[in-house]
Amino acid sequence: MAMALTPSLPSVLTTLVIVITLVHHASISASASASSSRIRIQCRSGWTSALQTVPPSRIDDGYCDCPLDGSDEPGTGACSGSVDGMWAGVPPKHESSNYDAAHRPSQYFSCAEQPSLKLPPSRVNDGICDCCDGSDEAPSSFAKCPDVCDEVMAEERAARAKAQSAFAFGSKSRMGSIAQYNKWHDEKTRDLRRLKDVDLRAADKELGEVEKELTEAKVMLAEQWLNTVYEQVLVAEPLAELVGDESAMSADDLASFVLSLCALSAEISSGNVANDRCVALDRASSDVGILWKHVSDGDDDSLPVLEPPDSGSEAALVDFAERIVLRLEGKDTVPSSSSSRGGNKINNERTNKSPPLDSYDSEDDPYGDDWEDRPDYDYTSDDDSEDHSHDGEEEGESLAEDEANVEEPQLTENQLLVKSLLDKVPLDRTLFKEQGKLLLEFTLGAPNDEGKEGGDESLEESASDEGANEGGEESNAGGDVNGSVDPMALQMTKSAISKRLSNISHGETAAQSAARYVASLMKGATLGDLRNVAIMTIYHSGVAAGDVAELIYATSSGLRSTEAPSSESVNDGKSSCSPPWSTMCPPRTVSLQSGVRTYPPSFISEAAKKRCEERERLSAGVCYALAGESELMFPTTVADGYYNYYEPQSRDGSEDDSLVPYFSSIHFLHEKVPSYLSSLLKRKESLDKKKKTLLRKVSEIESELGDEGGGSMYGPDGELYALRDVCLKIESGKYEYELCIFGGAKQRDHGQTSGGTNLGSWEKLENDEEGRRTLRWGGGTKCWNGPQRSAEASVTCGAETKLLTADEPETCRYAFTMESPIGCDEQFKLKKSL
């Protein structure tokens, strides 16, 4: 019996699939044939970039002839990935020049649950499950793709959920901070408007009113001052008689008198020379209404210009009053550098001489030990007395001839006038300076008995006996250069000599600077003006009556004795040591042109008589002829009058000085600023401070708010406002790092609570176009052989502000990462597809 053969179900299904597949390929072939009969394209090869023509038979044939644009395989996946940079050697395509991209199929496939996973078309419906949910394979395909996204994306989804949570919290926190900033911004804007529109306007109005009153008060002060000086002070007896009339004191006499006063006042105190000018002359000129227009340093030819205030000019009177106020307040001289006596450093560049010795108090250095260490004065050099004989007489004579042949520079008229005034100053310190120079050279290193330079050490073996002169006065001779001197006496003498040389230098500088101003007075002012300046210079110099009297007798042509100085001198009849006061003693008087009065006033002649008696007592034994080094007698003390140098005396604080009562009217004038003006000055000062405070507040607020272009210190949206007081710390390796917003960045060792290495100060917040934020610190401590340290922190979104990492990618450049709500903005959300 024959059995019927019935085909099984699986075999039927297999046959059906094969038939469908054949039909599908046939349709594709038919389509390709149809399309190939219609299309012929040109494209460039992806490897050679040569232009090629693709015939219709090679279109959609499963082989990619045009990898740069995939134009020959629009219906297959043969060119999948070529235009996305997935083929080695073929650059990614940015733009097609042959076809509109909108009319071509997509070059990749995105998984529904995995947007970041992009598949080329060749891997779609290829029977392999690439997407975790199987969305890359059609449901009717052979591949069975279960949804395994929960397992595959568990970690990714957790990270994403965390990021979404952090963004939600951080974004909310950021918006809250921005809201706080906006509220603060509005308040500060209102404060700024009030400061500008109300407070500053009110302050300006009040200040304007006070300045108007102050101007009127200054004009009144100037007028009252000049009236008092000319109508009361200068005409009062016996001040008006201090400088006599033209028969007693000519213009040249007055000029010498004023320059001598400047020199003596500077010898008394280096504080009487300020800004390279004689303070006494400056103040005297101002008192009588003569203001100076000073010339620039280095201009030796031009003379200062005198500018008397114009009584009809309000501006001129105000300027004059302001100078008076500065003097009354003690602010008319600005010290350039204080000396050890509290004076001012003197600029000697114009004189072309060695800088002066700084005065100092010998009580601070009783032995003079510190003087040798002072580098600012070379008392052993003297261009005029340089010894050229050390190489023989012939060479010395040759050098002398060369010096004689050097032409003297031609002096201008002004320079000749200044020189002639200085030559007439009766204060001659030459003998003391030369002797002092020898003594100081001796203290630096005198030869000892063995012919070696022993200096002070050779003087320590014994002390010389102090002798006495004929009059019973203490002798100044303590020992010769080949003997020995008490080392303590040597140091004290050295200190005294040095101090006197310093004071003399200050006096010479004062006279030299004053000579140009006096020359200008002689050319541009009247004799009366010069007399008035001389009287007021006596007051401001502070020189005692005895020294003033001595200067009057030395400079007045009517009082100078016609008899020549005695040929007998203190030392073997040498006139070079004649006492400078010899022409004054005994004091005498002369009749003035009026014939009614005599000159000088009685209190001056009495002071001169007293001075003569003092000088007579001190004269014996204090002046010796200059000796060679081998005959040098070293003094154990330096008495007043030693080698014709008598230290000038100060009038300040002396109730017995005969000049003090006669200057009471001038002293009263200089006591203080008038009360009506003082109160206005205080009001103006208070208002100036108030306005300055307001302007500082305006500046601070404007700096915080920034400009309308988003230049606020808190960032474009004010996002740093909530972090203005925040400091962040992180440990990395053996160091702890601290970053302070709007503060500094530090690197410290573990356990260190303060100090540390400075990594820089806050500079700015940078926001780039892609939304990346970077905080920067700069200008830190310089690395050895490297740059200054700097730090930067890259910010990402986070629920709280904290540092995540610390690194030093380059020498002395520190890089940090941090998360903060300030990074949770819309750009971050879009970038992370949250």
Side-chain angles (χ1 to χ4, degrees):
M1 178 175 176
M3 297 180 62
L5 297 177
T6 304
S8 63
L9 181 61
S11 61
V12 173
L13 292 175
T14 300
T15 303
L16 182 60
V17 169
I18 293 173
V19 171
I20 294 173
T21 301
L22 291 174
V23 172
H24 174 68
H25 281 288
S27 63
I28 290 176
S29 299
S31 174
S33 299
S35 63
S36 64
S37 64
R38 298 192 303 269
I39 300 175
R40 178 184 294 271
I41 64 172
Q42 285 187 331
C43 68
R44 292 187 181 277
S45 170
W47 291 270
T48 65
S49 297
L51 188 64
Q52 62 180 341
T53 300
V54 181
S57 61
R58 289 167 55 186
I59 295 176
D60 283 333
D61 64 347
Y63 180 82
C64 185
D65 297 290
C66 305
L68 293 180
D69 58 10
S71 57
D72 66 316
E73 299 294 323
T76 71
C79 292
S80 298
S82 66
V83 296
D84 295 331
M86 298 181 184
W87 283 26
V90 180
K93 178 190 171 197
H94 299 290
E95 215 174 288
S96 174
S97 58
N98 297 326
Y99 291 98
D100 186 355
H103 293 85
R104 292 200 313 271
S106 174
Q107 300 297 320
Y108 59 84
F109 176 85
S110 295
C111 298
E113 294 295 326
Q114 297 167 290
S116 60
L117 180 59
K118 302 184 186 304
L119 304 175
S122 61
R123 293 173 59 183
V124 178
N125 293 323
D126 61 352
I128 299 174
C129 302
D130 295 292
C131 298
C132 65
D133 59 355
S135 57
D136 60 316
E137 300 298 322
S140 61
S141 67
F142 296 109
K144 302 299 181 183
C145 299
D147 188 342
V148 292
C149 289
D150 289 340
E151 293 82 358
V152 173
M153 300 185 60
E155 184 177 347
E156 182 180 341
R157 285 176 175 175
R160 184 176 179 83
K162 181 180 179 182
Q164 288 176 329
S165 175
F167 175 79
F169 186 89
S171 177
K172 182 178 180 181
S173 176
R174 180 176 182 274
M175 296 307 297
S177 298
I178 292 176
Q180 291 180 13
Y181 168 77
N182 290 335
K183 180 180 179 182
W184 169 87
H185 188 279
D186 292 342
E187 292 175 354
K188 285 295 182 179
T189 301
R190 288 193 295 271
D191 291 343
L192 182 62
R193 190 178 299 113
R194 186 190 69 252
L195 284 171
K196 287 184 173 181
D197 297 345
V198 180
D199 297 345
L200 272 176
R201 286 184 180 179
D204 285 336
K205 181 180 179 181
E206 189 174 3
L207 193 57
E209 294 172 352
V210 171
E211 287 177 343
K212 182 179 179 181
E213 294 181 45
L214 198 54
T215 297
E216 296 172 354
K218 288 177 180 178
V219 170
M220 184 168 65
L221 171 66
E223 293 173 343
Q224 289 179 345
W225 182 279
L226 292 174
N227 180 71
T228 301
V229 168
Y230 281 98
E231 302 298 329
Q232 300 179 33
V233 175
L234 294 175
V235 297
E237 298 180 2
L239 286 184
E241 302 173 3
L242 273 175
V243 293
D245 57 18
E246 190 172 0
S247 64
M249 284 283 236
S250 66
D252 287 343
D253 297 341
L254 289 171
S256 298
F257 181 65
V258 170
L259 296 186
S260 300
L261 285 172
C262 283
L264 292 187
S265 68
E267 288 183 14
I268 292 172
S269 171
S270 60
N272 288 328
V273 182
N275 300 324
D276 203 20
R277 299 199 303 274
C278 172
V279 173
L281 178 58
D282 263 6
R283 291 177 172 175
S285 303
S286 179
D287 276 349
V288 299
I290 295 176
L291 308 180
W292 293 107
K293 183 178 181 181
H294 307 289
V295 297
S296 59
D297 290 339
D299 185 358
D300 293 334
D301 185 30
S302 302
L303 297 178
V305 179
L306 57 91
E307 298 178 327
D310 182 1
S311 59
S313 169
E314 181 182 272
L317 291 174
V318 168
D319 180 47
F320 174 65
E322 287 174 349
R323 300 195 191 195
I324 294 296
V325 170
L326 285 176
R327 174 144 52 80
L328 297 180
E329 294 177 340
K331 301 175 182 177
D332 57 328
T333 60
V334 180
S336 55
S337 177
S338 297
S339 71
S340 52
R341 292 181 67 190
N344 301 322
K345 186 175 180 181
I346 303 167
N347 182 1
N348 273 324
E349 293 180 359
R350 186 181 298 130
T351 63
N352 241 354
K353 294 185 178 181
S354 299
L357 295 163
D358 285 338
S359 299
Y360 68 97
D361 191 345
S362 59
E363 294 180 0
D364 297 334
D365 181 23
Y367 306 114
D369 296 338
D370 298 335
W371 190 262
E372 294 176 6
D373 298 329
R374 298 186 67 83
D376 54 353
Y377 184 73
D378 182 8
Y379 46 75
T380 63
S381 65
D382 188 346
D383 294 339
D384 297 331
S385 61
E386 185 176 354
D387 184 7
H388 299 289
S389 63
H390 61 283
D391 291 329
E393 293 183 4
E394 183 177 346
E395 182 180 355
E397 291 175 0
S398 175
L399 291 172
E401 291 176 1
D402 291 341
E403 290 179 354
N405 292 331
V406 175
E407 295 184 4
E408 291 289 334
Q410 197 71 24
L411 299 180
T412 65
E413 178 186 352
N414 289 336
Q415 291 172 337
L416 286 171
L417 176 57
V418 171
K419 183 178 182 300
S420 67
L421 293 178
L422 290 172
D423 289 342
K424 295 175 184 177
V425 174
L427 304 176
D428 186 4
R429 313 304 198 199
T430 304
L431 284 177
F432 182 84
K433 287 163 60 179
E434 292 178 350
Q435 181 68 3
K437 172 176 168 289
L438 287 175
L439 292 176
L440 291 179
E441 286 177 338
F442 170 68
T443 62
L444 282 181
N448 57 22
D449 292 340
E450 286 77 19
K452 300 179 181 179
E453 298 240 346
D456 295 344
E457 295 179 0
S458 65
L459 305 173
E460 294 180 356
E461 297 179 359
S462 62
S464 63
D465 296 331
E466 296 182 359
N469 56 33
E470 294 179 1
E473 297 293 333
E474 181 182 355
S475 172
N476 292 279
D480 60 29
V481 75
N482 293 318
S484 59
V485 180
D486 180 357
M488 182 177 292
L490 182 143
Q491 296 294 354
M492 294 181 68
T493 301
K494 173 184 172 184
S495 173
I497 292 289
S498 300
K499 177 182 177 182
R500 284 166 172 77
L501 288 175
S502 171
N503 295 343
I504 289 172
S505 179
H506 290 314
E508 290 174 345
T509 299
Q512 289 163 359
S513 64
R516 305 175 74 199
Y517 293 86
V518 173
S520 182
L521 280 173
M522 295 183 71
K523 296 183 71 172
T526 64
L527 181 63
D529 292 330
L530 195 55
R531 293 177 69 252
N532 294 336
V533 169
I535 294 173
M536 301 307 289
T537 303
I538 297 174
Y539 171 74
H540 288 293
S541 69
V543 175
D547 290 300
V548 172
E550 192 170 343
L551 287 182
I552 288 176
Y553 277 92
T555 56
S556 170
S557 55
L559 290 174
R560 283 196 298 268
S561 173
T562 57
E563 298 179 6
S566 172
S567 60
E568 297 180 2
S569 68
V570 179
N571 188 39
D572 298 332
K574 293 183 179 181
S575 60
S576 62
C577 206
S578 298
W581 42 267
S582 59
T583 58
M584 177 180 69
C585 303
R588 65 193 187 95
T589 60
V590 294
S591 296
L592 298 176
Q593 287 179 340
S594 63
V596 179
R597 300 184 183 278
T598 59
Y599 183 73
S602 59
F603 69 94
I604 291 295
S605 58
E606 287 297 324
K609 181 179 179 180
K610 184 178 179 181
R611 177 56 59 89
C612 287
E613 295 171 354
E614 293 174 353
R615 294 289 192 258
E616 288 289 347
R617 288 196 303 270
L618 295 173
S619 63
V622 296
C623 188
Y624 305 88
L626 291 176
E629 188 174 344
S630 62
E631 302 174 358
L632 181 65
M633 301 295 292
F634 195 87
T636 55
T637 60
V638 181
D640 199 23
Y642 182 70
Y643 278 82
N644 275 351
Y645 180 62
Y646 296 89
E647 287 193 283
Q649 303 301 310
S650 172
R651 184 173 68 247
D652 295 341
S654 175
E655 297 180 359
D656 299 332
D657 193 283
S658 57
L659 275 174
V660 171
Y662 299 105
F663 281 129
S664 59
S665 60
I666 302 179
H667 187 67
F668 175 78
L669 193 65
H670 291 81
E671 275 187 342
K672 60 182 180 179
V673 180
S675 57
Y676 66 87
L677 182 58
S678 177
S679 61
L680 286 173
L681 290 171
K682 290 179 180 179
R683 279 184 60 195
K684 184 180 183 302
E685 182 181 5
S686 176
L687 289 172
D688 283 338
K689 289 181 179 179
K690 179 180 178 181
K691 182 177 179 179
K692 186 176 180 180
T693 300
L694 292 173
L695 289 173
R696 187 179 66 251
K697 289 181 178 179
V698 168
S699 178
E700 290 173 353
I701 294 176
E702 287 179 338
S703 176
E704 287 183 295
L705 293 177
D707 52 33
E708 295 180 357
S712 170
M713 63 181 289
Y714 297 117
D717 297 324
E719 56 193 26
L720 288 181
Y721 178 73
L723 302 181
R724 61 192 181 280
D725 298 320
V726 171
C727 288
L728 308 170
K729 294 182 179 181
I730 187 174
E731 293 184 0
S732 179
K734 64 178 182 178
Y735 297 113
E736 178 186 69
Y737 297 90
E738 181 181 54
L739 304 180
C740 292
I741 313 299
F742 303 118
K746 297 284 186 181
Q747 178 193 60
R748 301 187 182 97
D749 293 330
H750 284 307
Q752 189 177 359
T753 58
S754 61
T757 303
N758 177 23
L759 304 185
S761 301
W762 171 262
E763 288 186 343
K764 58 184 174 180
L765 161 67
E766 285 185 353
N767 282 17
D768 64 15
E769 294 178 354
E770 297 183 7
R772 289 188 293 262
R773 289 169 176 77
T774 305
L775 310 181
R776 296 192 182 278
W777 292 259
T781 304
K782 191 178 186 299
C783 287
W784 185 79
N785 279 346
Q788 284 185 295
R789 288 175 168 83
S790 62
E792 60 182 44
S794 300
V795 184
T796 187
C797 174
E800 58 180 319
T801 300
K802 62 182 179 181
L803 292 175
L804 303 177
T805 63
D807 191 17
E808 188 178 358
E810 298 176 15
T811 302
C812 297
R813 185 176 73 83
Y814 301 84
F816 302 85
T817 59
M818 65 178 285
E819 63 179 22
S820 172
I822 68 172
C824 301
D825 59 0
E826 288 302 314
Q827 282 185 294
F828 179 83
K829 181 180 180 181
L830 293 174
K831 187 176 181 180
K832 297 297 183 180
S833 301
L834 298 179

